Amino acid sequence: MGKEKKKRAAKVFCYYCETEFEDEKILVQHQEKKHFKCHVCNQKLSTASGMAIHVLQVHKEAISEVPNAIPGRESTEIEIFGMQGIPDDILAAHYGEQAISRTLRYFPPADYFFKVESVSVLLNTRIEKYESGSFEVGGYKWRLCLYPNGINKSEGKGHVSLYLEISDTENLPLGWELCGQDRRYTNDMHSSTYLDADSKASHFNVIKTRCGIAQFLSLDELKDPCNGYLMDDCCIFGAEVFVIKYSGKGECLSVIKILLMSNGMRLILHPRGKQKAKNKSLSLFLELASFETLHQRKLYAEFELLIKDQKSSAYIKPSHAHIWFSDSNDVWGFPNFISLSDLHDKPDDFLLNDTLIVQAKITLMIYSRNI
């Protein structure tokens, strides 16, 4: 039997100070009061970046650290609102879970990879961050950000930190935003496999331009010759990006009850019958007349077709049907709606002044249309 996964605790917690709360509403109030409050005018803001922008624009001061945050959590660059935006590795560490799915595969990353030489030298330099060249995926330009000794602001100390960042943002339209799924890799050159770190879908916008894994790979694992991540003092990293684009296509299903007749539908009467009922019965059909005009993909209808007894003013001879209409099936009805002999035997009941009255009563309509 597989090992049972540990269930996540019910309590939410503050990213900045690890304080736990019973619900997220109280957590948000705590963040506004303790971490997002302007130190000059005491105005409460919703996020750390919002607070930094407020202080800069209103009070002409630059701040880069969140007040009352524990070491490693002070950065205003990480967009946190309640529990939203907390990095996967931080969530996992708090709840005792595995942060990110890590698997091995034999084929290289599809979108970008870069090779780092003289890794031992790089780890002993003062280079905090390396930004790769840009690569294009899904109509956007991206780059990898490598922190050889980890990013301290997000508890990456003792690890290689790897982030995906959208670049060339100055050429994106005002208010841009997108959603993407990214995977980051490092190469085990012993077995010719790639360590696949699959993170959750991420939301990018003008404030949050990157996402990543602070604890992508521990330095101990990187340096261990048994793992094969280092060969001849070189290692290889890479990325795949899947941009989730909204196509603008969708569908709406509407339900309408009890109608006498609907726009876009009409009755078709064949006085001398149609098909096998020709010269035997009066045929009556309901037709979906404007399928294309309504932009409908299909339509379900439950209906009755009736004929009026003009002596009693009552509608009789109900014939019930239920059918899905579509562009290939736009007519449905009853070839043998009423026999011609019945009409001739009781002409005063159904014919008045040479007039016959029929009716369609639609009791239920469900239609699907593109949106």
Side-chain angles (χ1 to χ4, degrees):
M1 294 179 61
K3 185 178 181 180
E4 184 179 350
K5 292 184 178 180
K6 184 177 180 180
K7 293 184 179 179
R8 178 162 291 190
K11 289 186 176 181
V12 298
F13 72 98
C14 176
Y15 166 78
Y16 298 103
C17 64
E18 288 280 349
T19 304
E20 291 189 336
F21 299 91
E22 293 296 332
D23 62 66
E24 196 161 2
K25 182 178 179 181
I26 300 174
L27 167 60
V28 170
Q29 294 172 349
H30 159 82
Q31 289 173 338
E32 291 177 349
K33 183 178 180 180
K34 188 170 181 179
H35 303 296
F36 303 154
K37 186 168 71 173
C38 173
H39 70 283
V40 180
C41 65
N42 291 326
Q43 181 176 340
K44 297 175 183 176
L45 288 304
S46 298
T47 63
S49 60
M51 175 192 64
I53 292 171
H54 163 81
V55 174
L56 180 63
Q57 292 181 344
V58 177
H59 305 297
K60 311 304 179 187
E61 289 186 27
I63 59 171
S64 59
E65 293 188 352
V66 175
N68 305 310
I70 63 177
R73 308 275 180 93
E74 307 97 333
S75 175
T76 59
E77 296 179 5
I78 300 178
E79 190 73 4
I80 303 291
F81 179 80
M83 290 285 289
Q84 299 176 39
I86 299 179
D88 292 334
D89 47 355
I90 304 298
L91 284 170
H94 185 88
Y95 291 118
E97 301 172 348
Q98 184 177 345
I100 295 164
S101 171
R102 297 178 187 269
T103 57
L104 292 176
R105 75 180 205 186
Y106 287 94
F107 48 96
D111 295 321
Y112 197 79
F113 77 94
F114 69 94
K115 182 178 181 180
V116 181
E117 298 179 340
S118 303
V119 174
S120 60
V121 178
L122 178 64
L123 293 175
N124 289 301
T125 65
R126 294 183 179 179
I127 297 174
E128 179 183 348
K129 172 185 176 184
Y130 173 80
E131 294 180 353
S132 75
S134 293
F135 58 97
E136 187 169 333
V137 180
Y140 297 90
K141 291 184 178 180
W142 308 84
R143 61 174 168 240
L144 282 172
C145 298
L146 174 69
Y147 295 81
N149 287 292
I151 178 170
N152 290 329
K153 293 178 180 179
S154 297
E155 297 189 349
K157 187 176 181 181
H159 293 76
V160 174
S161 302
L162 193 61
Y163 286 76
L164 177 72
E165 183 175 68
I166 187 165
S167 60
D168 201 24
T169 54
E170 61 273 10
N171 293 322
L172 295 177
L174 184 67
W176 68 270
E177 59 180 341
L178 64 98
C179 193
Q181 176 82 32
D182 62 284
R183 310 170 82 103
R184 278 141 290 190
Y185 301 86
T186 186
N187 182 207
D188 178 350
M189 289 174 275
H190 281 335
S191 59
S192 298
T193 58
Y194 290 82
L195 176 66
D196 175 359
D198 180 13
S199 64
K200 298 177 181 178
S202 301
H203 186 252
F204 297 85
N205 54 38
V206 67
I207 296 175
K208 185 183 178 182
T209 58
R210 70 175 189 170
C211 69
I213 308 172
Q215 298 180 2
F216 176 72
L217 184 67
S218 74
L219 292 176
D220 290 337
E221 288 180 280
L222 175 67
K223 296 174 183 178
D224 188 341
C226 296
N227 292 326
Y229 299 130
L230 276 178
M231 183 172 287
D232 297 327
D233 208 22
C234 299
C235 65
I236 297 174
F237 298 95
E240 283 181 357
V241 184
F242 174 69
V243 177
I244 303 171
K245 286 186 175 181
Y246 173 55
S247 66
K249 297 178 181 179
E251 182 177 334
C252 177
L253 191 67
S254 300
V255 180
I256 304 173
K257 294 189 69 175
I258 309 177
L259 303 169
L260 286 180
M261 183 57 97
S262 172
N263 292 333
M265 305 191 81
R266 66 187 176 195
L267 283 170
I268 300 177
L269 176 69
H270 297 272
R272 294 188 177 275
K274 188 180 180 183
Q275 300 169 356
K276 294 182 178 181
K278 193 170 182 65
N279 296 321
K280 297 179 180 179
S281 300
L282 180 147
S283 302
L284 187 62
F285 298 87
L286 184 66
E287 181 184 41
L288 183 59
S290 58
F291 187 88
E292 292 183 359
T293 304
L294 296 175
H295 300 291
Q296 293 170 344
R297 302 200 323 179
K298 52 188 176 180
L299 181 148
Y300 173 84
E302 294 181 2
F303 59 92
E304 298 175 348
L305 300 183
L306 307 103
I307 187 169
K308 188 174 184 179
D309 182 340
Q310 299 195 60
K311 268 189 174 181
S312 63
S313 297
Y315 284 91
I316 60 173
K317 294 287 182 181
S319 298
H320 302 272
H322 52 89
I323 187 68
W324 278 103
F325 290 96
S326 66
D327 54 354
S328 60
N329 184 36
D330 58 356
V331 178
W332 190 265
F334 302 93
N336 296 295
F337 180 68
I338 185 171
S339 70
L340 295 179
S341 60
D342 285 348
L343 285 177
H344 296 151
D345 291 343
K346 300 179 179 180
D348 295 337
D349 290 357
F350 301 112
L351 291 168
L352 181 64
N353 299 325
D354 202 30
T355 300
L356 179 77
I357 300 176
V358 293
Q359 183 187 78
K361 182 179 180 181
I362 302 172
T363 55
L364 178 68
M365 182 183 291
I366 301 175
Y367 63 92
S368 165
R369 68 180 186 275
N370 293 331
I371 55 175

